[in-house]
Amino acid sequence: MAQTKRRRVIASNWKMFKTQAETRAFFSAFAPLVAGATHCDIVVAPPFTAISAAAEAARGSNIAIGGQDVFWEKEGAFTGEVAPPMLVEGGCRYVIIGHSERRQSEETVAKKAKAALAAGLIPIVCVGELLAHREAGQTEVVCEKQFTGGPGALTPEEFSRILVAYEPVWAIGTGKTATPEIAAAAHRFLRKCAERKFSARLASALRILYGGSVKPDNIQGLMAEEELDGALVGGASLDAKSFAAIVNGCKAP
Ligand code: PEP
């Protein structure tokens, strides 16, 4: 497969942490620590209620804001949901879709990704197996199913505008990181799925982030793998110094 130089991305997922005041305090500490980081794109995904505060605090910086989920309709009687144009209005450029804590089905992942793209957002589409799948030797079967029904259901043009995050569910919030070799093998497999479904060119340009207990002390080992184009970080993204160490530690060797 032709090798393309892919720009790395370090994205956070704050989940249900941080008020608006805590968000502003985070940015005051974090923005100066990563102001010189030109080697990767940086994304912070706060809870919906803190998106505007984050966008305001990040204005003029190299930090983009993302939503943690989105709905596929523009408006309607959908209690608790947030529409793509609402995220854009709040200042988001990115949106996480299909996180294991939110995923319902491959079909809804594809609908959300299409709607997000139509609004100009960059979806970060998550896929990843449970521990039971890995132990049963089903990792590739599960990842292929999630890929085919989710990102694989997009048009080639839509697909060219998304990021994929490989997040083995057994590594999320557990402190158990996939080894760089395990992560790289899964990324290679997902890239093969992309090549089979779309083309070698699109597969080679696709940025695949790894997510699952990424920390300042394991980012360099993970990023030594060429297959890994960045990281999606939960717990370790809540602290400004720790997230900055991950951003600054993701430089290609
Ligand atoms: C996540 O929630 O996407 C995640 C990767 O969490 P953590 O880094 O805490 O494992």
Side-chain angles (χ1 to χ4, degrees):
M1 197 182 293
Q3 202 48 59
T4 308
K5 190 94 191 105
R6 297 179 293 262
R7 183 168 167 79
R8 289 189 159 166
V9 183
I10 299 290
S12 79
N13 172 13
W14 280 1
K15 310 194 183 193
M16 201 173 70
F17 289 98
K18 293 196 193 293
T19 61
Q20 295 187 5
E22 288 165 344
T23 297
R24 284 189 277 271
F26 174 91
F27 276 89
S28 301
F30 178 66
L33 297 175
V34 297
T38 52
H39 58 282
C40 67
D41 296 332
I42 307 169
V43 183
V44 170
F48 291 139
T49 48
I51 283 173
S52 294
E56 179 66 35
R59 187 161 299 149
S61 78
N62 52 346
I63 308 160
I65 306 304
Q68 295 179 16
D69 196 11
V70 71
F71 198 64
W72 53 83
E73 298 288 353
K74 286 204 184 88
E75 61 182 8
F78 305 106
T79 304
E81 301 290 0
V82 173
M86 295 170 178
L87 290 184
V88 173
E89 183 188 40
C92 288
R93 275 203 70 210
Y94 290 79
V95 61
I96 299 168
I97 293 176
H99 189 278
S100 58
E101 289 155 15
R102 301 292 296 179
R103 186 189 300 144
Q104 295 150 331
S105 66
E106 278 81 50
E107 194 197 348
T108 56
V109 166
K111 280 162 84 169
K112 288 177 179 189
K114 277 182 179 288
L117 285 161
L121 291 162
I122 301 171
I124 303 175
V125 181
C126 303
V127 299
E129 79 286 1
L130 300 172
L131 183 60
H133 296 137
R134 179 159 284 273
E135 287 177 347
Q138 293 292 300
T139 297
E140 293 193 349
V141 174
V142 170
C143 287
E144 184 163 20
K145 180 170 177 284
Q146 291 178 358
F147 179 89
T148 306
L154 302 176
T155 66
E157 189 282 324
E158 288 170 335
F159 184 76
S160 73
R161 292 190 281 134
I162 72 162
L163 310 179
V164 167
Y166 169 62
E167 293 216 310
V169 180
W170 49 270
I172 297 178
T174 59
K176 279 189 211 154
T177 320
T179 62
E181 295 74 23
I182 288 179
H187 284 220
R188 259 192 301 278
F189 177 73
L190 288 167
R191 212 174 288 290
K192 266 263 158 289
C193 293
E195 184 176 354
R196 278 201 293 262
K197 173 69 200 175
F198 295 103
S199 65
R201 183 181 63 79
L202 286 181
S204 165
L206 173 68
R207 290 182 290 173
I208 308 178
L209 317 187
Y210 165 75
S213 298
V214 173
K215 305 262 181 309
D217 63 4
N218 60 26
I219 185 71
Q220 278 171 351
L222 289 162
M223 291 301 123
E225 291 286 346
E226 247 187 40
E227 262 300 335
L228 276 62
D229 303 313
L232 179 55
V233 188
S237 71
L238 292 168
D239 175 76
K241 276 198 190 128
S242 144
F243 193 44
I246 292 172
V247 168
N248 292 321
C250 95
K251 278 200 181 111

